Amino acid sequence: MHATDSRGHSPAFLQPQNGNSHRSSGYVPGKVVPLRPPPPPKSQASAKFTSIRQEPRATFAFSPEEHQAQRDSRKQKRHKNTFICFAITSFSFFVALAVILGISSKYAPDENCPDQNPRLRNWDPGQDSAKHVVIKEGDMFRLTSDATVNSIVIQDGGLLVFGDDKDGSRNITLRTRYILIKDGGALHIGAEKCRYKSKATIVLYGKSDEGESMPTFGKKFIGVEAGGTLELHGTQKASWTLLARTLHSSGLTFRPYAFEKDFSRGLNVRVFDQDTARNLEIARFDTHEYHNESRRLQEFLRVLEPGRIVAIAVGDSAAKSLLQETIQMIQDRLGSKLIQGLSYRQAWALVGVIDGGSTSCNESVRNYENHSSGGKALARREFYTVEGQKFAVTAYSEWIEGFRVEVVDGVKLHLLDDVSSWKPGDQIVVASTDYSMYQAEEFTLLPCPECSRFQIKAKETPQFLHMGEIIDGVDMRAEVGILTRNVVIQGEMEDSCYAENQCQFFDYDTFGGHIMIRKNFTSVHLSYVELKHMGQQHLGRYPVHFHLCGDVDHKGGYRPTTFVDGLSIHHSFSRCITVHGTNGLLIKDTIGFDTLGHCFFLEDGVEQRNTLFHNLGLLTKPGTLLPTDRNNSMCTTMREKVFGSYVPVPATDCMAVSTFWIAHPNNNLISNAAAGSQDAGIWYLFHKEPTGESTGLQLLAKPELTPLGIFYNNRVHSSFKAGLFIDKGVKTSNASAADPREYLCLDNSARFRPHQDADPEKPRVAALIDRLIAFKNNDNGAWVRGGDIVVQNSAFADNGIGLTFASDGSFPSDEGSSQEVSESLFVGESRNYGFQGGQNKYAGTGGIDQKLRSLPRNRTFPIRGFQIYDGPIHLTRCTFKKYVPTPDRYTSAIGFLMKNSWQITPRNNISLVKFGPHVSLNVFFGKPGPWFEDCELDGDKNSIFHDIDGSVTGYKDAYVGRMDNYLIRHPSCVNITKWNAVVCSGNYAQVYVQTWSTQNLTMTITRDEYPSNPMVLRGINQKAAFPQYQPVIMLEKGYTIHWNGPAPRTAFLYLINFNKDDWIRVGLCYPSNTSFQVTFGFLQRHNGSLSRMEEYEPVRSLEELQRRQSERKFYFDSGTGLLFLYLKAKSHRDGHSYCSSQGCERVKIQAATDSKDISNCMAKAYPQFYRKPSVLKQMPSMLKGLCQGCGTRQVVFTSDPHTSYLPVQFKSPNKAEMQRGDLSIISVNGTDFTFRSIGAFLLIVDACSVPFRLTEKKVFSLADVSRMEAYLKTGIPPRSIVLLITRGEIKQLNISDSLVPLGLAKPAYLDNKGSTVFLGFSGNFKPSWTKLFTSPAGQGLGLLEQFIPLQLDEYGCQRAGSVRRRDLELLRQTSKGH
């Protein structure tokens, strides 16, 4: 259809003004031209009577007066009739009008709903897979029933709309090979302001080896060309949230119990806790053979506490020696009615409750007949835990007896956000919270009338542990996403892989559907749509693909801007959303689950200003499309695009698949979650030039120089290589003899160094990583290379290495940028112990409590919190917790890159750090052994940092290096053996030594004060044509340099990190017949030029050289073969720059000799040039007391930073600890409240006050405990947090009923406990954080920690103003920026 019809009427939908030349039947979201109701129909009654009945003519005459009277009478009658007719007509009109208005008000089309356009015609193409449909000008169709066609092309103003009902009762499935929308064509399913209510499914069918392939789009697609409109808007749902209570494997706090065995003769007994379903006792009594066994069973049952669940099953036979008094005990305590008549080899099973009577007992018996069982005796009863989870205890007896404890009628999940939009039958996914992403699980929702809007019930039983808590201050709550939508686009799949679809790697069909949007589309908005079985293992075929669309926001003329919102992309075969040559796209609230290759994918390195807000990606698996998608086997197998016989190296060419692949820094990531990827969660890489179809595009600014967009409040976990990775690029040239690697494989050439306006001549702009949470990543929580980069307000827990900083390159190309981490938390081994299974490969004992836990890499891997690679780095205001080594592994808060051949700068500095009580190694410098190997590479030996304030070592303004490094020592240094460290005072710098054409040359550098302890350096790359050595040296000392081969003919010495007037003296070993040309100059990094060149002149003696050390002089001692000169800085150095503000001060030595002897002058140099060790800068005294102001000021790091959390700790000692005087403690926000007497201690805290307000403190002695119940029932004000701890054994703690209104699902058994801890809430809301902990008599609970949210609306708190949401502010900021 045209934009206007022949009569000039306005179209039903208005065209957005985005500069597109095509006119469309298309769309302004939520805006339809209003429709007027039709004019009222005419009344059935006539508006007036025109036929007046004529009187019959009389046969006699009347007088004139009589005639006049008759005329008057007839006139009055006419007036009366006219009035009556008018009244009737008016009444009829108003009745009709009222009816019409009523009908129109009830049935008038909603102007926001595309399916209510009155110009649409119902369309039913039927089931015809050969039909090619073209919807063109004048065609405005409403699809109202299922249909199958070959293909659909919508063009030239054609319109296809899916019909809907107000009650959402329709269920329409459209099957087609493809849908192509172009040139003013439009496809609508719902609208942003009139969301589709029914079920709409588009099935894209067809095999890769059948049917025609369309140009550009290929097969099995929805394609949007120039002028096309695609508007898909399903019913709005909360897309994803977090668990608010831990979901245990089996659905129970303690693992499920299952036992089965043949012929375990006698009565097999199990005892279970009625509050938690935990198995407490396992016993067997051979009452067939022994009377004493019967007596032992009698005593066993006699002492059991009331309420315990007991399950009994006969094994083989149990009746022969079963005493009557034992039978009576079973009857009295368990309510059995069948035990009395138990006979030889009868199968009997019972489940009952101690002192619960016969009503609590379920039992079954089967006779033994003709040497055969009469069947299985099975007993089963259902119970509830104190958390409200329903479970069943089963006992059975036949020839096999056994027991089971299992969840029944579904598992209840407690969630952080309102999920009332999730419905029974919906599919959800719960993310892994362990090292393996394969612990993610899918569930189907069940009806749950008893659930609150923050709860759901799942049909399946969980197989793994999913954390729902903030642990050790770090938010490790599992993500929970809803996969189901009412608008579905899905590929129709074959049962197995076929044809040319990489079947060597996949045994399932990977040829799914795909959606591609191309440049100059009219309007595309997708919201709350499910995409399943989408994507193909072919380039360009992705679930959602914005292909070379350019600017799709206001800058491109799109109003409203283009977005995808609330999509569910799962079980798909090539990425999630691809942003290719497209800028300004908003991707929001979208889930990508169980997909192949990079999930959220920015492709060519040119994509900018895109915003990814609150998206979730998990189970991101390898694919085949690009080298960076591939795993090890794919990488080495797929060699069609390498040059010659080159075999790719997986670790450096491939193995980079990432949930978020960000190919340009000028994009925004806000509140996203990468919850499990084969390699990385979020990977920022930097293209040297545009790639793919953007090749040749001239960028105004290089990505590696461009400032970082917004990075705020993102979380990364359960990935192998890194949670966050900022480093590297891709190869931008085709494979060749010079470089046989495949195009777009990983490349190590790019370095992130952001500057203002991406201009290296302008100031640096620090990239800000704000609020990153990284946990359970096997290698690195975050690997960050480049500078300047600042990481702040972040948390790292249970990673192999929490955070690694690497500089943006090597001298001289690296200008000396800096990296800083501040206000952050590092946790080595948290209380998230993990769970075996789901491809978790490694487990071992923890360093703190020796409990079994899952581990990164393997049990010997040295766990580190913060890792220094080269530098300069600044670590400040950070806290470290729980870094304790084990006999298997070294675990340290601070460590260094292992097997490091690179340089390390003494400008690395640390200040204001805090180490928790469970940190045994503040820092560790490595030792030969597993992972460290020989620990003899150059970087290993030169590891060093500056402890500015003594917060690491206790020595202020001290440097910390490896214990065997004598280049940095003096006599007053302090060894810390367990760190393999030495702590020294002094001033330090580096000498960068470069030689030419001397491969495999080893350099030995010796300080004159310690000639017995030289340092042997292999060089950064021994095979390089220009070996580089970069030792850290103490200033104002003398050194000699020797070689393991002929002396280099050309050598360069650079002064690195020298301040003005800093100096050292060096003597380089050469053959005695060598002549020299020595020059000085300033090297300019940017162009490689030299300035202010000066020649060194020889002097006759070392003494003369010493007198003239500020001049350009050298002295060659031919007797020892040492060429002496002073390296003294002439210019100031600015900031973090390695070199002076005038350039890099360089000395070039050209040596002329024909000798090929080894140039090692050690034997001749010493003791001649030996100097007695001296202290230039005195060691400070060791600090005393705690470091004031050290550590992060934040206690908790969460993914909902707009919510305030109250940290609460309970310290519950056991009997032995109490006897030695340990206190019971409740700590609230760092304030300790102690309790020392037997009894109970209560704190009441206002739930609406921040940071916290204590409203009451109550102590109940042992004698007063009975009064506590009344207080709990009536004395606690609403909106209060209740914190309760008991001390000592209380025989009867009669508060069970009073804890139910405060959060428990049922009264708990609390008598004879060693300790009880309870967290409750007084109010009309039952929060998920309410908990009860108990321990057996004599035992304590140790240290418990909980984080309680404050000021929730659900509490009924009155707020002074709205909650500030920084994430939403940043989202609005990005929209304005568009």
Side-chain angles (χ1 to χ4, degrees):
M1 61 170 285
H2 292 293
T4 60
D5 64 18
S6 59
R7 293 171 293 176
H9 289 169
S10 297
F13 292 84
L14 300 180
Q15 177 187 359
Q17 300 301 309
N18 62 359
N20 195 300
S21 60
H22 297 278
R23 292 192 61 80
S24 169
S25 60
Y27 185 67
V28 172
K31 189 64 178 175
V32 181
V33 176
L35 297 169
R36 296 172 181 163
K42 291 185 178 182
S43 171
Q44 294 301 315
S46 177
K48 59 181 179 178
F49 291 103
T50 56
S51 59
I52 299 174
R53 182 173 55 88
Q54 298 200 5
E55 299 291 333
R57 206 168 276 189
T59 60
F60 51 87
F62 292 94
S63 66
E65 290 80 5
E66 291 173 344
H67 281 288
Q68 183 62 45
Q70 288 178 343
R71 284 195 299 268
D72 291 342
S73 175
R74 288 195 295 269
K75 186 176 180 181
Q76 288 177 357
K77 190 180 288 188
R78 285 197 302 270
H79 288 170
K80 182 178 179 180
N81 290 341
T82 301
F83 177 78
I84 292 172
C85 291
F86 176 77
I88 292 172
T89 303
S90 299
F91 176 77
S92 301
F93 173 77
F94 284 114
V95 168
L97 181 61
V99 170
I100 291 166
L101 290 176
I103 292 172
S104 64
S105 65
K106 185 174 182 180
Y107 298 105
D110 185 337
E111 65 178 21
N112 296 312
C113 299
D115 71 305
Q116 296 184 31
N117 182 348
R119 296 164 66 188
L120 294 172
R121 287 182 290 145
N122 288 345
W123 182 55
D124 180 10
Q127 304 292 325
D128 184 353
S129 60
K131 181 183 293 184
H132 296 268
V133 176
V134 178
I135 302 174
K136 57 189 183 304
E137 179 180 353
D139 295 334
M140 301 181 70
F141 294 153
R142 180 193 295 111
L143 183 64
T144 57
S145 59
D146 293 351
T148 296
V149 297
N150 183 282
S151 63
I152 300 175
V153 176
I154 311 173
Q155 63 187 27
D156 300 329
L159 173 64
L160 176 59
V161 178
F162 273 56
D164 198 3
D165 287 331
K166 288 190 175 182
D167 59 0
S169 60
R170 289 185 184 273
N171 188 342
I172 301 174
T173 298
L174 171 62
R175 293 179 69 251
T176 180
R177 291 183 181 275
Y178 67 83
I179 300 174
L180 178 60
I181 310 164
K182 61 180 183 177
D183 299 333
L187 170 60
H188 295 267
I189 305 178
E192 190 178 0
K193 292 185 179 180
C194 179
R195 297 195 168 275
Y196 196 76
K197 301 177 186 66
S198 302
K199 181 70 179 290
T201 304
I202 297 177
V203 177
L204 300 169
Y205 70 89
K207 297 174 65 176
S208 62
D209 56 357
E210 68 178 21
E212 63 176 333
S213 180
M214 296 295 292
T216 304
F217 296 98
K219 300 177 181 179
K220 219 168 172 178
F221 65 86
I222 297 176
V224 183
E225 281 273 24
T229 291
L230 180 62
E231 295 290 337
L232 308 179
H233 300 277
T235 300
Q236 205 160 3
K237 290 176 177 277
S239 181
W240 64 276
T241 181
L242 302 175
L243 277 180
R245 181 180 288 179
T246 295
L247 178 63
H248 296 272
S249 67
S250 82
L252 296 169
T253 303
F254 299 97
R255 293 189 179 185
Y257 182 80
F259 173 87
E260 188 171 89
K261 190 174 182 180
D262 295 341
F263 298 108
S264 185
R265 192 175 66 189
L267 291 177
N268 295 273
V269 181
R270 302 294 184 268
V271 180
F272 301 97
D273 183 87
Q274 64 270 40
D275 294 334
T276 63
R278 183 181 188 180
N279 176 242
L280 302 176
E281 300 270 3
I282 299 174
R284 183 176 70 87
F285 304 89
D286 188 354
T287 57
H288 173 80
E289 190 70 26
Y290 306 105
H291 288 113
N292 279 342
E293 287 288 279
S294 182
R295 295 185 186 98
R296 190 167 67 88
L297 172 58
Q298 182 181 342
E299 179 61 19
F300 178 87
L301 294 174
R302 188 186 67 78
V303 299
L304 284 179
E305 297 166 328
R308 293 296 189 213
I309 302 168
V310 177
I312 304 176
V314 169
D316 187 20
S317 183
K320 177 182 173 184
S321 298
L322 186 63
L323 300 175
Q324 183 58 42
E325 52 264 38
T326 305
I327 293 172
Q328 190 64 47
M329 179 66 72
I330 295 172
Q331 290 174 330
D332 292 345
R333 298 220 71 184
L334 291 172
S336 172
K337 293 181 179 179
L338 301 178
I339 185 64
Q340 181 65 60
L342 190 65
S343 61
Y344 175 70
R345 280 195 167 178
Q346 272 192 320
W348 174 67
L350 173 145
V351 175
V353 176
I354 293 292
D355 296 343
S358 60
T359 58
S360 70
C361 174
N362 182 267
E363 59 184 331
S364 173
V365 67
R366 291 290 184 270
N367 292 327
Y368 175 74
E369 299 172 353
N370 300 322
H371 305 284
S372 176
S373 165
K376 180 183 289 186
L378 186 144
R380 185 175 189 267
R381 272 216 59 197
E382 295 178 349
F383 306 90
Y384 285 91
T385 68
V386 291
E387 294 182 339
Q389 180 59 58
K390 191 176 182 181
F391 67 98
V393 176
T394 303
Y396 54 92
S397 168
E398 195 177 13
W399 295 121
I400 297 173
E401 74 281 350
F403 305 92
R404 286 196 309 273
V405 177
E406 58 194 342
V407 164
V408 292
D409 296 340
V411 178
K412 191 175 288 186
L413 280 68
H414 300 253
L415 304 176
L416 183 64
D417 296 304
D418 181 347
V419 290
S420 54
S421 59
W422 298 7
K423 303 302 179 186
D426 285 354
Q427 295 289 122
I428 66 167
V429 59
V430 181
S432 168
T433 52
D434 208 344
Y435 294 107
S436 172
M437 67 177 180
Y438 290 97
Q439 288 189 9
E441 297 188 73
E442 295 177 67
F443 300 95
T444 305
L445 297 191
L446 293 172
C448 186
E450 73 275 17
C451 286
S452 75
R453 56 196 174 100
F454 298 93
Q455 297 170 333
I456 53 175
K457 187 182 284 185
K459 176 182 178 182
E460 296 80 8
T461 301
Q463 302 300 304
F464 306 111
L465 173 73
H466 302 272
M467 299 307 300
E469 300 177 46
I470 299 164
I471 301 174
D472 294 309
V474 181
D475 192 344
M476 298 193 193
R477 296 173 291 189
E479 298 84 358
V480 183
I482 182 82
L483 301 178
T484 305
R485 304 287 188 271
N486 67 315
V487 176
V488 181
I489 314 295
Q490 68 181 57
E492 188 173 276
M493 310 307 296
E494 302 298 313
D495 293 335
S496 61
C497 190
Y498 63 93
E500 303 298 321
N501 289 314
Q502 305 294 352
C503 297
Q504 69 271 39
F505 304 119
F506 308 105
D507 59 5
Y508 51 89
D509 183 6
T510 60
F511 194 76
H514 70 100
I515 298 174
M516 179 187 283
I517 299 106
R518 289 175 55 82
K519 190 177 181 65
N520 291 327
F521 60 84
T522 292
S523 179
V524 171
H525 301 91
L526 312 178
S527 65
Y528 299 93
V529 177
E530 180 180 349
L531 295 105
K532 179 181 180 181
H533 296 156
M534 299 289 282
Q536 303 164 7
Q537 283 295 295
H538 300 276
L539 285 172
R541 309 295 184 246
Y542 315 123
V544 179
H545 181 192
F546 285 87
H547 180 71
L548 302 176
C549 294
D551 297 320
V552 297
D553 54 0
H554 293 160
K555 189 173 180 181
Y558 286 90
R559 290 179 177 81
T561 60
T562 309
F563 63 76
V564 295
D565 183 10
L567 303 190
S568 164
I569 304 168
H570 63 95
H571 300 94
S572 290
F573 311 117
S574 185
R575 317 212 184 289
C576 302
I577 296 179
T578 295
V579 183
H580 183 192
T582 299
N583 310 311
L585 179 66
L586 172 62
I587 304 172
K588 178 174 172 284
D589 283 324
T590 290
I591 298 173
F593 166 59
D594 195 0
T595 57
L596 305 180
H598 306 303
C599 181
F600 297 94
F601 179 59
L602 276 61
E603 188 162 351
D604 283 350
V606 298
E607 298 81 13
Q608 300 188 57
R609 296 182 295 100
N610 301 289
T611 297
L612 293 98
F613 181 87
H614 199 253
N615 301 291
L616 167 62
L618 64 165
L619 203 60
T620 307
K621 299 186 291 189
T624 63
L625 297 189
L626 298 177
T628 54
D629 288 313
R630 298 169 191 158
N631 62 16
N632 193 314
S633 62
M634 295 171 180
C635 187
T636 55
T637 302
M638 301 181 70
R639 296 166 53 187
E640 298 84 358
K641 296 180 181 178
V642 302
F643 184 85
S645 60
Y646 174 74
V647 178
V649 181
T652 55
D653 291 1
C654 308
M655 295 178 67
V657 64
S658 304
T659 303
F660 295 87
W661 181 261
I662 311 300
H664 195 288
N666 185 25
N667 292 283
N668 307 302
L669 272 69
I670 305 169
S671 297
N672 299 288
S677 173
Q678 181 68 31
D679 291 307
I682 301 172
W683 193 315
Y684 283 91
L685 70 156
F686 309 93
H687 289 224
K688 283 290 187 181
E689 57 188 61
T691 59
E693 294 190 51
S694 301
T695 299
L697 185 68
Q698 296 299 313
L699 289 176
L700 297 177
K702 290 185 176 181
E704 60 188 317
L705 295 174
T706 303
L708 186 70
I710 297 168
F711 186 103
Y712 177 78
N713 193 37
N714 297 292
R715 49 192 279 134
V716 289
H717 61 89
S718 307
S719 293
F720 193 86
K721 181 174 287 187
L724 170 66
F725 203 92
I726 302 178
D727 197 2
K728 302 185 182 292
V730 291
K731 183 172 179 278
T732 57
S733 60
N734 290 320
S736 64
D739 187 347
R741 297 174 302 154
E742 184 176 343
Y743 179 56
L744 297 181
C745 73
L746 269 183
D747 189 75
N748 202 31
S749 62
R751 293 292 184 268
F752 185 39
R753 39 202 174 91
H755 285 72
Q756 181 182 326
D757 300 326
D759 184 346
E761 300 299 325
K762 292 184 178 180
R764 288 179 179 268
V765 177
L768 178 60
I769 305 297
D770 193 9
R771 293 202 170 277
L772 171 70
I773 293 176
F775 66 92
K776 294 289 184 183
N777 297 288
N778 283 267
D779 275 2
N780 286 271
W783 170 282
V784 177
R785 184 190 290 277
D788 293 351
I789 298 177
V790 175
V791 177
Q792 67 181 29
N793 305 316
S794 297
F796 306 86
D798 292 337
N799 303 289
I801 303 155
L803 170 63
T804 299
F805 272 155
S807 70
D808 71 354
S810 65
F811 174 83
S813 61
D814 181 357
E815 300 175 8
S817 59
S818 71
Q819 300 163 320
E820 177 181 296
V821 56
S822 65
E823 286 294 342
S824 295
L825 174 64
F826 296 83
V827 181
E829 293 181 356
S830 78
R831 289 183 295 109
N832 179 357
Y833 292 95
F835 190 87
Q836 286 302 290
Q839 297 193 22
N840 257 6
K841 296 180 180 178
Y842 308 113
T845 55
I848 297 168
D849 52 16
Q850 289 74 55
K851 288 184 179 180
L852 183 68
R853 62 185 299 121
S854 59
L855 293 171
R857 305 304 289 264
N858 68 23
R859 60 184 176 80
T860 65
F861 184 76
I863 295 171
R864 284 144 286 167
F866 178 73
Q867 176 172 266
I868 301 171
Y869 183 173
D870 39 19
I873 61 90
H874 183 202
L875 172 68
T876 185
R877 289 196 180 281
C878 291
T879 297
F880 293 86
K881 295 180 182 179
K882 299 188 174 182
Y883 289 90
V884 177
T886 71
D888 294 322
R889 65 180 172 275
Y890 294 103
T891 299
S892 62
I894 300 168
F896 297 85
L897 184 77
M898 299 180 296
K899 297 175 287 187
N900 180 16
S901 62
W902 213 251
Q903 61 90 17
I904 290 188
T905 171
R907 302 300 173 189
N908 293 323
N909 63 83
I910 300 175
S911 63
L912 294 172
V913 293
K914 179 181 179 180
F915 300 93
H918 295 293
V919 176
S920 299
L921 294 178
N922 291 8
V923 61
F924 186 60
F925 282 82
K927 284 185 177 179
W931 297 98
F932 295 100
E933 295 184 358
D934 62 4
C935 217
E936 285 294 303
L937 297 180
D938 294 6
D940 300 331
K941 297 178 178 181
N942 285 280
S943 300
I944 190 170
F945 67 87
H946 185 194
D947 185 5
I948 293 175
D949 58 357
S951 57
V952 179
T953 63
Y955 296 95
K956 187 176 181 179
D957 191 23
Y959 287 79
V960 190
R962 204 166 90 167
M963 196 162 63
D964 60 355
N965 184 354
Y966 281 80
L967 300 184
I968 64 173
R969 275 185 170 273
H970 59 67
S972 297
C973 293
V974 177
N975 288 338
I976 304 179
T977 305
K978 70 175 183 177
W979 297 0
N980 192 26
V982 62
V983 182
C984 296
S985 57
N987 295 307
Y988 299 88
Q990 295 158 276
V991 176
Y992 176 89
V993 180
Q994 186 182 64
T995 63
W996 280 12
S997 303
T998 49
Q999 288 187 1
N1000 298 314
L1001 189 66
T1002 295
M1003 185 184 92
T1004 298
I1005 180 169
T1006 304
R1007 205 165 102 203
D1008 294 343
E1009 296 172 326
Y1010 297 101
S1012 299
N1013 301 98
M1015 179 181 286
V1016 179
L1017 300 176
R1018 304 176 186 179
I1020 291 175
N1021 185 351
Q1022 286 191 301
K1023 296 181 179 180
F1026 308 104
Q1028 306 165 41
Y1029 316 88
Q1030 201 160 330
V1032 174
I1033 43 84
M1034 180 180 282
L1035 293 167
E1036 301 182 26
K1037 298 291 184 179
Y1039 301 84
T1040 59
I1041 294 175
H1042 315 267
W1043 313 96
N1044 71 338
R1049 299 299 185 263
T1050 303
F1052 299 92
L1053 283 71
Y1054 293 86
L1055 282 61
I1056 306 300
N1057 285 311
F1058 278 62
N1059 293 321
K1060 185 178 181 181
D1061 295 330
D1062 286 347
W1063 63 271
I1064 62 169
R1065 191 191 73 189
V1066 294
L1068 293 91
C1069 181
Y1070 287 95
S1072 57
N1073 63 349
T1074 306
S1075 60
F1076 302 96
Q1077 181 182 8
V1078 183
T1079 58
F1080 171 85
F1082 287 89
L1083 175 70
Q1084 306 304 318
R1085 281 193 198 88
H1086 299 307
N1087 55 23
S1089 65
L1090 288 169
S1091 62
R1092 298 170 61 182
M1093 299 281 292
E1094 298 180 50
E1095 292 285 338
Y1096 275 73
E1097 296 178 352
V1099 295
R1100 295 179 179 274
S1101 67
L1102 186 58
E1103 291 75 14
E1104 182 182 358
L1105 179 66
Q1106 291 171 337
R1107 292 195 307 271
R1108 305 174 68 179
Q1109 63 178 260
S1110 295
E1111 303 177 34
R1112 303 296 182 197
K1113 306 296 181 182
F1114 68 86
Y1115 168 66
F1116 182 56
D1117 185 333
S1118 59
T1120 60
L1122 290 173
L1123 172 69
F1124 288 102
L1125 51 85
Y1126 279 86
L1127 302 179
K1128 186 172 184 178
K1130 299 296 184 181
S1131 300
H1132 291 283
R1133 186 178 62 86
D1134 295 330
H1136 298 286
S1137 179
Y1138 289 137
C1139 301
S1140 77
S1141 56
Q1142 303 301 310
C1144 294
E1145 300 185 46
R1146 188 190 80 171
V1147 175
K1148 179 181 180 181
I1149 300 170
Q1150 290 183 289
T1153 179
D1154 55 5
S1155 172
K1156 296 184 179 180
D1157 294 339
I1158 293 174
S1159 290
N1160 189 324
C1161 307
M1162 287 282 291
K1164 297 178 181 179
Y1166 302 105
Q1168 179 176 346
F1169 298 114
Y1170 169 76
R1171 294 291 181 269
K1172 182 179 179 180
S1174 62
V1175 179
L1176 299 179
K1177 186 176 181 180
Q1178 292 298 319
M1179 276 290 291
S1181 300
M1182 191 167 188
L1183 299 172
K1184 297 179 180 179
L1186 296 174
C1187 178
Q1188 298 300 314
C1190 288
T1192 176
R1193 288 164 288 193
Q1194 301 176 60
V1195 179
V1196 59
F1197 295 79
T1198 72
S1199 294
D1200 54 344
H1202 49 276
T1203 300
S1204 297
Y1205 284 86
L1206 179 68
V1208 175
Q1209 288 186 337
F1210 299 85
K1211 186 178 180 183
S1212 168
N1214 59 33
K1215 187 174 181 179
E1217 292 167 337
M1218 286 189 287
Q1219 287 174 347
R1220 71 170 185 243
D1222 287 10
L1223 301 174
S1224 298
I1225 301 173
I1226 303 178
S1227 176
V1228 183
N1229 201 38
T1231 302
D1232 288 349
F1233 299 89
T1234 59
F1235 180 51
R1236 64 175 64 248
S1237 59
I1238 305 299
F1241 184 36
L1242 266 171
L1243 295 180
I1244 309 301
V1245 177
D1246 180 20
C1248 297
S1249 296
V1250 175
F1252 85 99
R1253 182 170 68 89
L1254 184 68
T1255 58
E1256 192 157 11
K1257 179 169 66 172
K1258 298 283 287 187
V1259 176
F1260 295 89
S1261 66
L1262 186 59
D1264 294 334
V1265 161
S1266 60
R1267 295 176 25 236
M1268 185 165 53
E1269 183 174 28
Y1271 174 77
L1272 290 171
K1273 286 183 176 180
T1274 62
I1276 301 174
R1279 298 182 295 278
S1280 292
I1281 297 166
V1282 179
L1283 307 175
L1284 165 67
I1285 188 171
T1286 65
R1287 181 178 175 87
E1289 295 181 18
I1290 303 173
K1291 296 297 183 184
Q1292 290 186 325
L1293 189 60
N1294 62 337
I1295 61 171
S1296 296
D1297 291 336
S1298 59
L1299 297 186
V1300 172
L1302 299 176
L1304 293 189
K1306 71 168 194 177
Y1309 181 76
L1310 300 177
D1311 293 347
N1312 299 314
K1313 299 295 184 184
S1315 184
T1316 298
V1317 165
F1318 176 68
L1319 298 88
F1321 177 75
S1322 175
N1324 296 323
F1325 176 67
K1326 282 199 173 184
S1328 61
W1329 51 261
T1330 57
K1331 288 188 178 179
L1332 174 70
F1333 302 92
T1334 63
S1335 64
Q1339 299 181 25
L1341 288 163
L1343 184 67
L1344 302 174
E1345 184 177 52
Q1346 299 291 317
F1347 295 86
I1348 301 174
L1350 298 174
Q1351 288 189 329
L1352 297 184
D1353 292 337
E1354 292 75 29
Y1355 297 163
C1357 298
Q1358 299 297 317
R1359 295 183 182 272
S1362 60
V1363 178
R1364 185 188 177 195
R1365 292 284 302 267
R1366 176 68 175 152
D1367 55 345
L1368 298 179
E1369 292 174 0
L1370 291 171
L1371 179 61
R1372 287 191 290 270
Q1373 178 182 320
T1374 64
S1375 300
K1376 292 177 182 177
H1378 292 174

